[in-house]
């Protein structure tokens, strides 16, 4: 029994030591550089063993890096995997993430248009560093893999970047507004006004034909003078508001006046209709 406990303790200790000693690395790494219209030139490299000479990237050339990320001895997908290019003179660097599968197979493709313009005009080779890291106790990997010499395009203009925007005073902006809307011609307005007025005799004749009794007006005003007076006044007042809106008023005063007159018409109209109903219930028409 003691022997089994001892063996289990030793196995657990060895497992812990191996887990603590594992680190991220890679294998089967290949750097491919292809010029436009030509076959790619491939070079193999290994972890912690950078290429001895700088790799020349021709104008309009593309770069592809393939590798298999490993945690210890098994291929695995790290949480972070990227290729960093750095210019030693200025310290400027740019990172490009790998596209990694669960098996650890990783790939990154670069073209000259993906690089900062400072890299394209650099007189010294760019240092390429591969970084692999993830959660857990495994030691991350970050080391130089190779160096790149970028050949600028001799036929084109030298690359440049736009000046950064400065938050300073800007030139004055002169707004050009549309002219105010104009009323239609007077002839058209008069035509439609007369057309509306011409319907009033027709409306009055129809009302008389249906049994309208104007002789009850005096009795209605004597019974409920305030209700009938305010109701008729509010109706004519609304018509006056529309005339003023057409001729001079803006939308704000028009809505305010219409709201007040509308409330007066509603309250007084209900009282006036109550008086009319009482006369009809008494048999008066």
């Amino acid at each position: 029994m003691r022997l089994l406990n001892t063996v289990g303790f030793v196995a657990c200790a060895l497992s812990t030591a191996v887990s603590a000693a594992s680190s991220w690395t890679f294998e089967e790494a290949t750097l491919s550089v292809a010029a436009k219209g030509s076959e790619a030139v491939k070079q193999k490299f290994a972890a912690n063993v950078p290429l001895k000479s700088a790799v020349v990237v021709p104008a309009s050339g593309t770069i592809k890096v393939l590798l298999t990320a490993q945690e210890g001895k098994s291929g695995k997908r790290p949480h972070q995997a990227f290729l960093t290019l750095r210019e030693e003179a200025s310290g400027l660097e740019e990172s490009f993430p790998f596209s990694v599968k669960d098996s650890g197979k990783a790939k990154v493709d670069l073209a000259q248009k993906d690089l900062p313009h400072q890299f394209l005009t650099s007189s010294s080779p760019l240092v390429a560093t591969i970084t692999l890291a993830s959660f857990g106790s495994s030691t991350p990997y970050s080391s130089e893999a190779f160096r790149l010499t970028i050949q600028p395009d001799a036929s084109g203009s030298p690359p440049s970047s736009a000046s950064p925007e400065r938050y300073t005073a800007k030139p004055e902006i002169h707004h050009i507004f549309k002219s105010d809307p104009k009323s239609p011609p007077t002839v058209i307005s008069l035509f439609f006004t007369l057309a509306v007025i011409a319907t009033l005799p027709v409306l009055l004749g129809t009302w008389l034909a249906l049994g309208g009794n104007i002789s009850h007006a005096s009795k209605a005003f004597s019974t409920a003078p305030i209700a009938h007076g305010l109701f008729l006044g509010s109706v004519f007042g609304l018509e006056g508001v529309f005339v003023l809106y057409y001729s001079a008023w803006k939308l704000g005063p028009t809505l305010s006046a219409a709201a007040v007159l509308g409330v007066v018409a509603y309250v007084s109209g209900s009282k006036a209709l109550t008086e009319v109903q009482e006369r009809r219930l008494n048999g008066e028409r």
Side-chain angles (χ1 to χ4, degrees), residues 116-241:
H117 75 279
Q118 293 89 342
F119 286 177
L120 304 181
T121 57
S122 176
S123 58
S124 59
L126 304 177
V127 179
T129 302
I130 294 177
T131 301
L132 304 173
S134 190
F135 301 106
S137 59
S138 297
T139 305
Y141 175 87
S142 182
S143 180
E144 178 184 341
F146 49 85
R147 298 194 173 206
L148 298 175
T149 299
I150 308 296
Q151 286 186 346
D153 189 358
S155 60
S157 58
S160 60
S161 62
S163 300
E165 183 179 2
R166 303 297 182 185
Y167 292 93
T168 58
K170 301 294 183 180
E172 183 180 359
I173 299 176
H174 297 278
H175 295 282
I176 300 176
F177 298 96
K178 294 182 179 180
S179 57
D180 294 335
K182 298 181 179 179
S183 300
T186 306
V187 176
I188 297 178
S189 299
L190 289 176
F191 171 77
F192 283 99
T193 301
L194 294 175
V196 172
I197 294 175
T199 60
L200 295 179
V202 178
L203 178 62
L204 182 60
T206 304
W207 178 61
L208 293 175
L210 293 176
N213 193 350
I214 198 171
S215 61
H216 283 192
S218 59
K219 186 174 183 179
F221 276 95
S222 62
T223 305
I226 298 178
H228 287 287
L230 288 178
F231 178 71
L232 291 177
S234 62
V235 171
F236 287 108
L238 287 172
E239 296 296 333
V241 168

Side-chain angles (χ1 to χ4, degrees), residues 42-109:
K42 299 181 180 180
Q43 297 190 51
K44 295 183 179 295
F45 61 95
N48 298 313
V49 184
L51 297 178
K52 295 182 179 180
S53 58
V55 179
V56 178
V57 181
S60 303
T62 58
I63 307 166
K64 178 186 290 187
V65 179
L66 300 173
L67 56 85
T68 301
Q70 291 182 328
E71 185 180 21
K73 297 295 183 180
S74 60
K76 192 175 180 181
R77 180 179 182 178
H79 180 255
Q80 294 180 345
F82 49 86
L83 174 71
T84 301
L85 300 181
R86 179 171 57 88
E87 185 186 26
E88 289 186 309
S90 63
L92 176 67
E93 63 180 26
E94 182 74 14
S95 297
F96 304 92
F98 279 92
S99 175
V100 190
K101 298 181 179 179
D102 293 337
S103 61
K105 298 288 185 181
K107 179 182 71 171
V108 62
D109 293 296

Side-chain angles (χ1 to χ4, degrees), residues 10-35:
V10 172
C12 182
L14 290 176
S15 176
T16 304
V18 171
S19 176
S22 64
S23 60
W24 284 98
T25 184
F26 63 86
E27 65 175 6
E28 301 176 358
T30 304
L31 169 64
S32 301
V33 177

